[in-house]
Amino acid sequence: MGFLEEMLGSLTMLHPMVIHFPIVYLITAILAESVGIVSGRQGYRQAATILIWLAGISATAAVGAGYLAAEVLRHDSPGHDLVHTHRDIMLAFTTGLLLLGVALAISKGLRLGASRRFLLPILILLAAVMGYGADKGGKMVYLHGVGIKPELLRNSSPPVSMGHHDDHGHGEKQPEVDDHRDDGHSH
């Protein structure tokens, strides 16, 4: 493996490390905004605004890391279609979060005024979209092994099947397997 492949492989590990930041920032923003509404204290609502900006920045980093991670996946791997679904959902989430952050930055009414009452429902909607996209990402990993099974990566050789084939030609020496079957056939 060359230096560039090794570096790219290391960078793909960024995605699972950064994805938790936008989740935590967004959920904490919802909590801060809720406490601010109930208590009437503006400090909580200002904290929610900062957390929304942090969520947008970290979601952008997670998207970039996700693109790097997707670069090393084989296109014929199980669960590959989920990669595209997960990407599209999380791009919509990140775009919505960034647009909300920009609106908070330029609109004093949204940041401090009467328009602020729309913020909590928008945050809850974004959290639902994020949860749906995260579920797709989790299914890729935990149901299909995308990103954790070496044989699903582009630069690895396809997995060797130990099943029954008509030609019995494996192309390489296979490890001996004590495979006693009822049909008397072993590999």
Side-chain angles (χ1 to χ4, degrees):
M1 180 185 296
F3 174 75
L4 290 176
E5 288 95 9
E6 189 173 319
M7 179 69 88
L8 185 59
S10 296
L11 289 175
T12 62
M13 294 308 298
L14 284 176
H15 188 65
M17 288 191 271
V18 299
I19 59 172
H20 299 94
F21 288 98
I23 295 168
V24 171
Y25 287 139
L26 181 60
I27 291 170
T28 308
I30 290 171
L31 292 173
E33 184 68 16
S34 299
V35 170
I37 290 169
V38 171
S39 70
R41 296 177 65 183
Q42 286 301 315
Y44 286 104
R45 298 181 101 179
Q46 290 170 346
T49 298
I50 293 168
L51 288 163
I52 291 165
W53 291 332
L54 290 171
I57 292 166
S58 61
T60 302
V63 165
Y67 273 103
L68 285 174
E71 281 299 309
V72 298
L73 296 177
R74 290 179 34 188
H75 290 281
D76 61 345
S77 60
H80 183 75
D81 290 341
L82 280 174
V83 171
H84 299 291
T85 303
H86 172 67
R87 176 201 61 206
D88 294 345
I89 294 166
M90 296 317 270
L91 280 173
F93 161 72
T94 302
T95 301
L97 197 54
L98 289 172
L99 289 174
L100 181 60
V102 168
L104 282 165
I106 63 175
S107 170
K108 188 173 182 176
L110 182 57
R111 201 169 50 252
L112 302 171
S115 299
R116 183 79 181 204
R117 69 178 174 264
F118 297 112
L119 186 61
L120 188 58
I122 292 170
L123 291 175
I124 292 169
L125 176 65
L126 284 170
V129 171
M130 177 186 66
Y132 183 66
D135 177 66
K136 298 299 181 192
K139 284 181 179 174
M140 283 186 321
V141 174
Y142 294 108
L143 292 180
H144 300 288
V146 173
I148 59 173
K149 288 185 177 177
E151 65 267 14
L152 301 180
L153 301 179
R154 198 180 289 168
N155 290 332
S156 68
S157 59
V160 176
S161 173
M162 295 299 286
H164 185 52
H165 298 285
D166 290 335
D167 65 351
H168 285 78
H170 295 286
E172 60 185 34
K173 183 172 170 60
Q174 295 295 309
E176 290 194 27
V177 176
D178 187 16
D179 187 8
H180 298 288
R181 299 184 193 163
D182 292 333
D183 64 358
H185 181 88
S186 65
H187 258 198

